Amino acid sequence: MLTQSVVVTGAGNGIGRATSIRLARAGWSVVAVDIVHPRGPEIPNIARVIGDVRDPETHAAAADTAAQMAPLRGWVNNAAIQLAAPASEITLEHIRPQVDVNLVGTLLGCAAAASAMPDGGSVVSVSSIHALVGFPSAFVYAATKGAVVAMARQLAVDYGASGLRSNVVLPGAIDTDMCRLEWERADDPAEAQAADESLHLMRRMGTPDEVASVIEFLLTEASSLINGQAIVVDGGATAKGIRSFNL
């Protein structure tokens, strides 16, 4: 059994929840952070911090809780939201929430992790293939996810000498609540779902646990020489080129 702790933000559902469960089962002491308490039964080795990632106090509380459980050696910045709109239609109501959660929340998480792990550890931030290729009506979301890639790289440069590694995962089309909400908001939900399902070379959606398995790897010593890297987990979507959306 491992004797170390990890913080996971956005842990109430999707990739964050899958990551929390996977790590807890692997022996990590997990601090799961989300703005609301998740549905479902409690899971051994997982402590909850209910808070907003836009608030530095949430990250401080998560770090403190983790340190009380076991030495803090991992941090996963996963919390994010998506509000669809092209550039010509965005308002501050589109910009501020996404920038505050996706960008500021991750910045604060990186800052808290760097402060709380002076002897080293691993930070994994979750971006998206939106950082690499364009999708309709994702102007602000794509901008925030591109920034997360740059942020993770910079954290690696600034703290690599002290033993802190920082990498970023870029998922493709993953079957999460956020993805399903985007289908519901689309003009043709069935067409939107079919487009997502056809992105990957294996012609299916990815699962949250498939992304969580990569995050787990990046947190462990098995990935000790990987630092400052962007790891794409998209079933080959960006390798073939994105041709599923009518632009």
Side-chain angles (χ1 to χ4, degrees), residues 16-41:
R17 177 173 172 79
T19 300
S20 298
I21 293 172
R22 173 176 277 271
L23 293 175
R25 289 174 176 169
W28 290 79
S29 295
V30 179
V31 177
V33 181
D34 209 285
I35 199 165
V36 296
H37 200 287
R39 298 185 300 273

Side-chain angles (χ1 to χ4, degrees), residues 39-66:
R39 298 185 300 273
E42 291 297 324
I43 298 168
N45 291 348
I46 297 181
R48 303 286 179 188
V49 169
I50 307 303
D52 193 327
V53 294
R54 297 172 292 185
D55 183 353
E57 292 302 317
T58 296
H59 300 277
D64 289 345
T65 302

Side-chain angles (χ1 to χ4, degrees), residues 17-204:
R17 177 173 172 79
T19 300
S20 298
I21 293 172
R22 173 176 277 271
L23 293 175
R25 289 174 176 169
W28 290 79
S29 295
V30 179
V31 177
V33 181
D34 209 285
I35 199 165
V36 296
H37 200 287
R39 298 185 300 273
E42 291 297 324
I43 298 168
N45 291 348
I46 297 181
R48 303 286 179 188
V49 169
I50 307 303
D52 193 327
V53 294
R54 297 172 292 185
D55 183 353
E57 292 302 317
T58 296
H59 300 277
D64 289 345
T65 302
Q68 292 171 21
M69 299 170 73
L72 179 59
R73 293 292 181 266
W75 196 290
V76 181
N77 294 304
N78 172 71
I81 61 171
Q82 182 174 7
L83 302 173
S88 60
E89 297 177 13
I90 62 170
T91 65
L92 289 177
E93 283 67 35
H94 288 97
I95 297 171
R96 284 175 174 157
Q98 293 182 93
V99 169
D100 286 350
V101 174
N102 304 357
L103 181 52
V104 175
T106 303
L107 282 165
L108 292 173
C110 289
S115 296
M117 296 190 288
D119 298 324
S122 178
V123 178
V124 181
S125 298
V126 179
S127 177
S128 166
I129 60 170
H130 283 79
L132 302 177
V133 294
F135 291 87
S137 299
F139 184 69
V140 178
Y141 183 76
T144 64
K145 288 303 187 178
V148 169
V149 175
M151 189 190 316
R153 184 186 306 116
Q154 189 62 47
L155 189 69
V157 170
D158 287 344
Y159 292 94
S162 66
L164 183 68
R165 294 186 298 114
S166 171
N167 294 289
V168 59
V169 172
L170 288 72
I174 309 300
D175 190 359
T176 63
D177 290 348
M178 180 188 290
C179 189
R180 290 177 177 271
L181 182 59
E182 289 303 308
W183 296 344
E184 294 173 4
R185 290 172 173 169
D187 294 335
D188 187 334
E191 181 181 12
Q193 180 176 349
D196 276 346
E197 290 172 345
S198 67
L199 281 177
H200 298 173
L201 293 176
M202 61 278 294
R203 313 295 289 181
R204 67 167 176 83

